[in-house]
Amino acid sequence: MMSGSQLGAYCLSEPQAGSDVAAIRTKATATEDGYALTGNKAWISHAGHADFYTTFARTSDDKGKGLSCFLVPSDADGLTFAEPEKKMGLHC
Ligand SMILES: Cc1cc2nc3c(=O)[nH]c(=O)nc-3n(C[C@H](O)[C@H](O)[C@H](O)COP(=O)(O)OP(=O)(O)OC[C@H]3O[C@@H](n4cnc5c(N)ncnc54)[C@H](O)[C@@H]3O)c2cc1C
């Protein structure tokens, strides 16, 4: 990433969780070979273009803890992208 050969994206926000990070609902469930993530992110810069997605997800339903960060490769099974949001002034 530092050499510029890889593009990353930071996936914190969700439709119901902006400033209120504790409201994140994306869930991470342990599997035999890692974790399975289920949920929706919103407003993610580089979405659909990044090589990997640093993604915040819950490993516990306790709002005060259990928020973890996962590195999700762009070719992960089930990863899909919606249409980009139309913004008023930011077009880069
Ligand atoms: C162009 C763009 C690119 C973005 N890219 C990314 C990205 O790459 N990755 C990502 O994860 N997110 C991204 N975001 C999302 C961004 O980080 C969120 O918009 C931000 O966290 C604010 O959340 P919100 O929009 O839900 O606003 P809200 O949290 O609903 O806040 C609305 C207003 O209320 C104020 N407010 C909220 N809580 C309080 C409080 N407790 N006390 C006083 N005032 C409060 C806020 O300051 C704000 O003015 C992007 C957003 C935009 C617009």
Side-chain angles (χ1 to χ4, degrees), residues 60-85:
S60 159
D61 290 330
D62 183 334
K63 284 218 163 192
K65 54 186 174 185
L67 206 50
S68 303
C69 190
F70 297 84
L71 204 61
V72 179
S74 59
D75 61 355
D77 280 348
L79 180 61
T80 59
F81 303 97
E83 283 296 305
E85 295 286 347

Side-chain angles (χ1 to χ4, degrees), residues 10-15 17-20 42-46 87 90:
Y10 182 78
C11 309
L12 187 74
S13 303
E14 297 183 1
S19 308
D20 183 9
W43 289 112
I44 308 306
S45 303
H46 301 165
K87 297 178 289 298
L90 194 59

